[in-house]
């Protein structure tokens, strides 16, 4: 009986892992593709130009080129996640890419003026960026996986 419960737990864990993996890949792929649009390029401009690590990039390349580069990075990480199912050696690269990407994007919450607002006495932000907290956590899980 105990072995059945253990197998069920492993199966549930594996199912959750793969749902998270493919969910993260879908989000990265979708947002990465969206980075190639002028709407998204302009939307991320205030984030990029007010960050201590990225403020200078617009001195060298266009708003769209920066957005395209970020899109390529997000798409590559998504593909690494997907292919890590078959090629385990890609898992660490995907995890590292996720951790680096989402640490930077979450830091925009603290470097971009006006990103926080108070609505009815509650501090709020553009909630789309908060998905990166979960994705950062999943990236850390992947990076620290022992397999």
């Amino acid at each position: 009986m105990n072995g059945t419960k253990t197998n069920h737990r492993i199966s549930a864990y594996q199912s959750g892992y793969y749902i998270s993996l493919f969910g993260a890949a879908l989000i990265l792929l979708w947002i990465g593709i969206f980075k190639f649009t002028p709407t998204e390029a302009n939307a991320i401009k205030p984030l990029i130009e007010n960050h201590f690590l990225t403020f200078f990039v617009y001195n060298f390349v266009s708003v769209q080129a920066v957005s395209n580069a970020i899109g390529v990075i997000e798409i590559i990480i998504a593909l690494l996640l997907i292919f890590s199912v078959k090629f385990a050696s890609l898992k660490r690269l995907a995890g590292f890419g996720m951790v680096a990407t989402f640490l930077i994007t979450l830091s925009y919450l603290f470097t971009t003026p006006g990103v926080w607002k108070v609505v009815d006495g509650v501090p709020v932000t553009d909630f789309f960026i908060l998905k990166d907290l979960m994705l950062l956590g999943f990236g850390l899980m992947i990076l620290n996986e022992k397999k």
Side-chain angles (χ1 to χ4, degrees):
M1 180 113 175
N2 230 0
T4 304
K5 280 188 175 181
T6 302
N7 288 340
H8 179 69
R9 285 187 186 142
I10 291 170
S11 176
Y13 174 84
Q14 288 174 332
S15 296
Y17 174 83
Y18 287 114
I19 289 168
S20 296
L21 185 142
F22 287 112
L26 176 63
I27 290 167
L28 282 161
L29 197 57
W30 201 335
I31 293 172
I33 291 168
F34 192 48
K35 290 287 189 291
F36 289 88
T37 67
T39 301
E40 180 66 359
N42 288 315
I44 65 170
K45 186 174 184 269
L47 304 172
I48 304 293
E49 68 188 0
N50 286 293
H51 196 273
F52 63 94
L53 293 176
T54 56
F55 69 93
F56 62 91
V57 296
Y58 294 125
N59 294 333
F60 302 103
V61 291
S62 71
V63 170
Q64 190 62 58
V66 170
S67 190
N68 292 355
I70 294 168
V72 167
I73 291 167
E74 290 171 340
I75 291 168
I76 288 170
I77 296 169
L79 293 174
L80 286 170
L81 280 171
I82 292 166
F83 288 117
S84 75
V85 171
K86 181 76 172 160
F87 305 101
S89 60
L90 299 177
K91 202 175 286 190
R92 268 187 97 57
L93 284 172
F96 177 76
M98 288 180 72
V99 169
T101 297
F102 298 119
L103 279 175
I104 291 170
T105 57
L106 284 166
S107 69
Y108 292 144
L109 289 170
F110 307 102
T111 61
T112 306
V115 77
W116 289 97
K117 298 158 188 65
V118 177
V119 177
D120 296 328
V122 178
V124 296
T125 186
D126 293 326
F127 292 104
F128 77 93
I129 208 165
L130 293 180
K131 74 176 171 355
D132 296 355
L133 190 57
M134 185 277 305
L135 291 167
L136 172 62
F138 186 62
L140 287 168
M141 287 175 60
I142 290 172
L143 197 55
N144 290 302
E145 203 170 275
K146 299 293 186 234
K147 287 185 179 180

